[in-house]
Amino acid sequence: MKLQLPLLLLPLLLPLSAATAAATAAAAADSKVATADALQATLDALTAAVDFVSDNIDSVNLDGAIGLRMAEGQTKALLAHYWSRLPQGAAARLAELHSRAGRAANRAVQSVRRRTPVYYANAGNMIREHFWDTFYPARPLPRAAVRAADKDKDFDEKFSDDCIKEFYGPDGKSPGCSVSERCWRGLVLPTGLTGYSLTHQLFYLMNGVQAGCLSNLTAQARAHPPAGTDGSLAGVFDNFCARIFVEASKLETAGFPKPDRDLFMEQVGLCGLAGYPEFARWRWLPVLLSWQRANGCFGEFPGELINPSNFDPGLYGNYKRRRKRAEMRMPEGCLSHRTSVAIAGLTAYCRRLVETLAD
Ligand SMILES: *[C@@H]1O[C@H](CO)[C@@H](O)[C@H](O)[C@H]1NC(C)=O
């Protein structure tokens, strides 16, 4: 109280003198400098991660290429929106990252198509050019309605990918934008799922929006809204990300357990890109950066035990069928999915930092 009272009263007691104006300007400049520094650090980390993947392109799986496309697409969108309001150095670095990520993504697509043709035929749209250029407008995150979690249902990755595939016509390319009752019921209506099942509900909707099916999803959300949502598609996004935020915060409280860090980065990446800047919490940035290895990748943590079935090449798409997307080992203890979600998470920070600088 002793400390707080004078601070609180200060603006009431003093007219805005030249001195306080200067102090305010200095604080703002300080925070601009801090923001610019944080953007530098984030771009350094992103560039190193992209370069690592690029140097090891034949040990990337399909999921590993998603992060590259996100970095490519979102840096493009950020430049399109903010280039004129950014310091020149920052804009140039964004442009450089954009082209590096794009080149790496194109090579990853060739490699993935060659090594896993069946999986690629089913899910290749997720990593096609421009797929992650979509720029979701920033929105405040509402508070999550607290609901009892469903019994942790097993998550079937194949089901999720097949539902995403419905967005495309029989040729697998032109948007048909089908949303079957089975898929809506399985992937959108449940409001008690957690973990990767929940992030993949959001992933399904983002895929639909990006496939050009916004009006179809909007109509579905109006006709069959998930419990507790208002009949708008934005309301469904809000509901999912509000609950994901509660989970991410719980992971922080638990001290970021090693087996959950991959999920945590996926949460920050997906909801961050879906337009919720709150996910790029300032205090989580040093945490994410501390998980990066000197070679630029993100990998196994010391003492972490990863379920071997996550790597089972006999399962669909090289990934564990339940709960989590495919993991694949890369050289030097690095992991493909993990590096990809880290790139997604850092890209969400990149967006928030750029928007803060351009503000
Ligand atoms: C998706 O929406 C578009 C535009 O409203 C419509 O033309 C198309 O038929 C819809 N697709 C399906 C499968 O309902």
Side-chain angles (χ1 to χ4, degrees), residues 74 135-143 202 205-206 232-245 267-281 284 345 348-349 351-352 355:
Q74 297 299 301
F135 194 67
Y136 293 81
R139 283 196 305 288
L141 192 65
R143 281 174 169 276
L202 175 67
L205 289 180
M206 291 175 86
S232 71
L233 186 63
V236 184
F237 272 74
D238 285 355
N239 177 290
F240 288 173
C241 281
R243 289 189 294 119
I244 290 171
F245 194 77
Q267 293 171 328
V268 171
L270 286 180
C271 287
L273 299 193
Y276 302 98
E278 273 120 303
F279 273 81
R281 292 194 98 158
W284 291 346
Y349 275 94
R351 172 173 174 175
R352 184 167 184 195
E355 291 185 327

Side-chain angles (χ1 to χ4, degrees), residues 176-178 215-216:
C177 293
S178 291
S215 62
N216 311 73

Side-chain angles (χ1 to χ4, degrees), residues 328-339:
M328 181 162 160
R329 290 192 193 282
M330 300 184 76
E332 302 172 51
C334 297
L335 295 169
S336 183
H337 180 276
R338 191 161 298 179
T339 302

